[in-house]
Amino acid sequence: MKAGELIKEAVLGWPGVEAAPHQFGGIEYRFGRKEMGHVHGDRLADLPMPRKLHDEVIAAGRAAPHHVLPDTGWISCWMKGPEDAAGVIELFRMQYERYAAAAERTAKG
C-alpha cells in the first residue's frame, strides 16, 4: 500500500473520524466538525496543532513548519514512501486523542 492509503486505513478506523475532500486537494480528516489534518496524496500531510505541541514535534524532528504558512500552528510532514506513513499516523493519533478528550469534557458539561 502507498503512504496515503495506509494513513486513510488507520485514521478512518478510529470512532468518530470522517474523510472529505480538502479544499486545496487531498483528503481531510475530521473529528466531528474539527479538522484533524489533511493528506496530499502520498507525499505530504498537514496538521494544525497548539503552539506548544507544534514546537515540540518540530524540535523532535517529527515534522516541519507548514510548507506555505510557517508562522502558524500548522505542521507539515513530508513522506518519501510508505515507510513514513507510521510517523504521520502517530501525529494524527495525537490529534485524535486531543479532540476526543475535548469532546468528552464538553459532553460532561
Side-chain angles (χ1 to χ4, degrees), residues 8-20 28-37 92-93 95-101 103-104:
K8 183 176 186 178
E9 181 178 277
V11 176
L12 288 179
W14 304 331
V17 176
E18 297 179 350
E28 180 174 310
Y29 296 99
R30 295 182 153 272
F31 182 85
R33 297 180 64 175
K34 295 188 75 168
E35 180 182 353
M36 295 169 50
F92 270 102
R93 186 68 190 189
Q95 292 289 79
Y96 176 76
E97 289 172 0
R98 284 186 329 101
Y99 290 4
E104 189 175 320

Side-chain angles (χ1 to χ4, degrees), residues 48-72:
M49 299 212 160
R51 181 54 70 170
K52 183 176 185 247
L53 189 53
H54 165 278
D55 294 347
E56 288 173 5
V57 294
I58 290 172
R62 299 176 68 190
H66 190 271
H67 61 107
V68 176
L69 305 167
D71 298 326
T72 66

Side-chain angles (χ1 to χ4, degrees), residues 69-90:
L69 305 167
D71 298 326
T72 66
W74 285 79
I75 59 169
S76 290
C77 302
W78 292 94
M79 299 175 283
K80 294 178 183 165
E83 65 278 3
D84 295 325
V88 173
I89 292 166
E90 288 176 13

